[in-house]
Amino acid sequence: MSTHPPVAIVTGASRGIGQAIALRLARDGHAVAVNYAGHRTGADETVAAITAAGGHAIAVPADVSQADEVAGLFAAARRAFGRIDVVVNSAGIMSLAPLAAGDLAGFDRIVAVNLRGAFLVLSHAAREVADGGRIVALSSSVIAKAFPGYGAYIAAKAGVEGLVRVLANELRGRGITVNAIAPGPVATELFLTGKSEQQITQAVQATPLERLGTPEDIAAAVAFLAGPDGGWINAQVLRANGGFA
């Protein structure tokens, strides 16, 4: 049996949910490749927190919508740690616009990061994750709500859920699980930016637990799927949302 820690890649891990996932997986014993696109300071802080606690981590820049940069991310993780056991695709963006506005540039950007990015990360994970490993993608519970203005975001996240189910079937025989986590409203910059106090209050009231989720709530769900207790969960979407949807 190998004495080396399992190795995880977490995309979008410089802040918010991705950062919490990286910290939690490190706490659970994983060496972590902390991916970021534009927030280098946050990635460095994540790595510093992991190493200060006795763990192992590196920060790796990569825009998940760019094929060569995703390839570089996986190559950097393998160079640093020798193997890849867990991949969590948490990178994502969100902007809101009604379909009637015809914001094609906004639509293309959301699809590029949230869906094309997921496709690229999952594709590399399928080739590079060790047998018996774990692949987790981030979706969203807003899919079930169909709120006005969320068309592009929902379309991209629905596509992510489709990719997860297909990949789980394609990896038959290798003991690799492929699942999605669909958070509800979580108190992150991504969720809070551009929302009024009334909109935030409505989100809280729509949740039976009467609070927004925390990044740590979602990280705990990812840790379950990435750990030994999640080994029989495959091709599923876990809606970690406090009852929001």
Side-chain angles (χ1 to χ4, degrees), residues 153-237:
Y153 185 77
I154 286 174
K157 290 300 189 180
V160 170
E161 293 189 8
L163 291 175
V164 162
R165 293 188 176 100
V166 170
L167 184 57
N169 281 309
E170 290 180 347
L171 295 181
R172 176 185 297 271
R174 292 183 54 194
I176 297 172
T177 67
V178 188
N179 294 288
I181 297 285
V186 177
T188 64
E189 180 182 348
L190 182 70
F191 173 77
L192 297 173
T193 298
K195 290 185 173 63
S196 66
E197 192 65 35
Q198 180 183 8
Q199 288 174 310
I200 294 169
T201 299
Q202 287 174 341
V204 171
Q205 292 174 341
T207 305
L209 295 180
E210 297 185 324
R211 67 171 176 86
L212 296 179
T214 68
E216 291 73 24
D217 289 327
I218 308 308
V222 172
F224 163 66
L225 292 178
D229 290 341
W232 189 234
I233 312 301
N234 195 25
Q236 302 302 311
V237 179

Side-chain angles (χ1 to χ4, degrees), residues 10-30:
V10 182
T11 69
S14 63
R15 53 187 168 180
I17 290 173
Q19 184 179 55
I21 292 169
L23 293 171
R24 174 58 190 267
L25 291 181
R27 195 176 86 197
D28 289 351
H30 295 74

Side-chain angles (χ1 to χ4, degrees), residues 20-206:
I21 292 169
L23 293 171
R24 174 58 190 267
L25 291 181
R27 195 176 86 197
D28 289 351
H30 295 74
V32 184
V34 175
N35 162 252
Y36 67 97
H39 196 219
R40 173 63 184 269
T41 300
D44 287 343
E45 290 171 352
T46 306
V47 170
I50 291 171
T51 56
H56 304 278
I58 58 170
V60 186
D63 178 345
V64 297
S65 72
Q66 301 302 310
D68 57 339
E69 296 188 28
V70 174
L73 166 63
F74 278 78
R78 189 172 288 281
R79 281 196 305 271
F81 303 122
R83 58 183 289 127
I84 299 167
D85 301 284
V86 175
V87 172
V88 182
N89 186 50
S90 179
I93 61 172
M94 181 169 62
S95 61
L96 306 181
L99 294 179
D103 181 9
L104 186 58
F107 176 86
D108 286 346
R109 181 57 182 159
I110 287 175
V111 169
V113 176
N114 294 0
L115 183 54
R116 175 186 164 96
F119 174 83
L120 289 170
V121 172
L122 293 180
S123 175
H124 277 274
R127 297 193 296 271
E128 300 202 37
V129 166
D131 290 358
R134 305 280 192 266
I135 300 171
V136 183
L138 270 288
S139 179
S140 175
S141 284
V142 79
I143 290 175
K145 292 292 191 179
F147 291 134
Y150 281 80
Y153 185 77
I154 286 174
K157 290 300 189 180
V160 170
E161 293 189 8
L163 291 175
V164 162
R165 293 188 176 100
V166 170
L167 184 57
N169 281 309
E170 290 180 347
L171 295 181
R172 176 185 297 271
R174 292 183 54 194
I176 297 172
T177 67
V178 188
N179 294 288
I181 297 285
V186 177
T188 64
E189 180 182 348
L190 182 70
F191 173 77
L192 297 173
T193 298
K195 290 185 173 63
S196 66
E197 192 65 35
Q198 180 183 8
Q199 288 174 310
I200 294 169
T201 299
Q202 287 174 341
V204 171
Q205 292 174 341

